[in-house]
Amino acid sequence: MGKVFDFTHLQETLYPEWVEQFRSGPGIGDFSYAIDGPTSLYGTTDVLFCRAIMNDLQLTDQEKDDWAGCINQFQKRDTGWYKKRYTYTHSKQHTTAYAVAALHLIDRKPAHEFPWIAKLLSGKKQMERWIERIPWSIIWPGSHIVSGIPAILAMLDKGSQEFYDWYFDWLDREADPKSGYWCRGWIHKLGVIKTPTKHEMGGAFHMYYVYEFLNRSWRYPEKIIDHTLRLQLPTGLWDKDVTYCIDLDGIYCLTRSNRIAGGYREKEIYQACVDYLAAAEKILNDRDYFFEHYTNTHILPGALAAIAECQKFYPELVKTPTPWIQTLDRACFI
């Protein structure tokens, strides 16, 4: 038997204490993004995601309604977009897709319609104008738009076959044959970025889970595996200091591309998961380090989802009180 990475202490002891720092009211969904702040869209949805991933979201219908009400108070009636309290969090497309995904996890929907959907779906000219205006040079945040819009359509069953066919054909055509990522910004065309970085990987991940949710396969999975393995640091992480969403991006790129590629570099992918889990176990089970570095609600869901992804493909590696859930298999955004 090899090493088993145990997150029981995190789930049963540290997480309950940690999350109470963000409680902002008596309601089931009353949580703030920052400690001692007001109830916020990211606070309430981040906590919902954390509980869903840790398989701790057994709610009554009334509790679901109450939590949905907490989320939907942030939706704008005229546009459907969700608003945020903290300016340094994500774009309106990310905020909205994240809210829709959280609602999807509890079988609830937004309170208001999205009037911009009809315009987007009116023809290929509108679709192409939308996707070409996305900031491809800053693809990590830009990818929230590339994935967020079709994710909203998919979860609300509002998309058309014409849109999805065009969308995936466009992504397939624009994918970089050398890496499998999308390297089409001016910084790539001018050679400012010669070799893909974690930013290109983090951006590409957001498109891959839309492919997965809609049962499509992406191109160049072997190249994706090659570059994603190259980008993993000796620490086991894809960035420094803490585990967060970039590690989900890396793990997901490896596990899902490996399935498409039919086992390509399987042993190295397994070892990449082992190395990641070793780092995550050390970071997340150390109370002082955990409380010092995880000072807002949004850092943790991606880390938990990365662990859940490892457990999904290599269950023998991960010990949790109950099997965790990869929410991306149930809701098309994170």
Side-chain angles (χ1 to χ4, degrees):
M1 291 290 291
K3 168 73 174 175
V4 177
F5 302 95
D6 191 349
F7 296 93
T8 303
H9 182 58
L10 169 69
Q11 182 170 351
E12 294 187 344
T13 304
L14 297 185
Y15 177 80
E17 180 185 356
W18 175 84
V19 77
E20 283 303 309
Q21 300 174 106
F22 304 97
R23 182 163 290 285
S24 53
I28 190 169
D30 280 331
F31 293 94
S32 177
Y33 169 85
I35 296 172
D36 295 328
T39 299
S40 66
L41 188 282
Y42 278 103
T44 184
T45 49
D46 287 336
V47 172
L48 192 154
F49 268 98
C50 288
R51 286 186 57 180
I53 294 165
M54 292 190 294
N55 201 3
D56 182 31
L57 201 60
Q58 294 74 41
L59 305 176
T60 66
D61 285 342
Q62 185 60 57
E63 288 172 328
K64 290 179 181 181
D65 289 342
D66 291 346
W67 209 324
C70 187
I71 295 169
N72 283 333
Q73 70 178 303
F74 296 100
Q75 190 182 23
K76 298 179 181 180
R77 182 184 295 272
D78 56 341
T79 64
W81 297 115
Y82 283 74
K83 56 189 176 181
K84 56 192 181 182
R85 290 189 183 275
Y86 296 88
T87 57
Y88 44 85
T89 45
H90 297 299
S91 66
K92 66 182 181 183
Q93 291 89 351
H94 182 288
T95 303
T96 301
Y98 199 65
V100 172
L103 291 167
H104 196 74
L105 289 171
I106 55 174
D107 303 314
R108 297 297 183 268
K109 294 184 181 299
H112 308 296
E113 295 293 329
F114 298 96
W116 48 263
I117 290 178
K119 182 178 180 180
L120 174 64
L121 300 183
S122 63
K124 289 185 179 179
K125 185 176 181 180
Q126 290 292 341
M127 299 175 194
E128 290 174 359
R129 183 177 301 168
W130 160 70
I131 207 164
E132 289 288 356
R133 288 179 174 176
I134 290 167
W136 289 93
S137 287
I138 46 174
I139 185 54
W140 195 354
S143 67
H144 299 158
I145 306 172
V146 186
S147 65
I149 298 303
I152 292 168
L153 296 177
M155 288 184 286
L156 298 179
D157 197 24
K158 297 286 188 180
S160 65
Q161 192 61 47
E162 179 188 16
F163 173 80
Y164 294 129
D165 288 344
W166 165 82
Y167 176 73
F168 290 115
D169 286 347
W170 193 96
L171 288 179
D172 286 347
R173 186 172 64 252
E174 295 291 330
D176 173 27
K178 296 180 180 179
S179 66
Y181 305 150
W182 283 269
C183 304
R184 61 184 311 276
W186 67 266
I187 61 172
H188 307 104
K189 294 175 181 177
L190 294 178
V192 177
I193 301 295
K194 294 182 172 64
T195 305
T197 69
K198 69 176 184 289
H199 296 276
E200 285 71 36
M201 181 197 76
F205 154 77
H206 289 86
M207 280 71 99
Y208 299 146
Y209 63 65
V210 181
Y211 276 91
E212 280 278 273
F213 194 77
L214 293 169
N215 298 310
R216 305 270 188 141
S217 294
W218 50 87
R219 303 184 73 185
Y220 316 118
E222 293 89 352
K223 295 296 185 181
I224 295 164
I225 292 168
D226 290 342
H227 282 277
T228 303
L229 286 172
R230 174 183 62 81
L231 289 166
Q232 189 177 25
L233 301 175
T235 60
L237 306 177
W238 275 265
D239 203 352
K240 56 186 179 180
D241 298 333
V242 300
T243 173
Y244 68 110
C245 61
I246 192 64
D247 300 308
L248 167 62
D249 303 354
I251 294 294
Y252 194 97
C253 285
L254 293 175
T255 53
R256 305 299 172 120
S257 294
N258 179 53
R259 189 174 62 187
I260 297 171
Y264 177 73
R265 299 185 72 175
E266 174 74 39
K267 291 183 179 179
E268 291 160 276
I269 292 171
Y270 180 89
Q271 187 60 48
C273 289
V274 169
D275 294 343
Y276 166 69
L277 289 167
E281 182 187 52
K282 181 178 180 180
I283 290 168
L284 297 176
N285 283 323
D286 182 330
R287 185 193 180 284
D288 292 341
Y289 195 90
F290 180 50
F291 277 74
E292 179 181 351
H293 289 81
Y294 289 77
T295 54
N296 67 65
T297 57
H298 200 58
I299 307 174
L300 189 59
L304 299 183
I307 296 165
E309 184 72 6
C310 292
Q311 189 180 50
K312 176 183 176 73
F313 282 85
Y314 307 110
E316 72 279 7
L317 289 178
V318 180
K319 181 180 179 182
T320 52
T322 58
W324 285 7
I325 293 168
Q326 177 50 275
T327 56
L328 282 169
D329 294 331
R330 301 186 179 188
C332 187
F333 204 80
I334 191 168

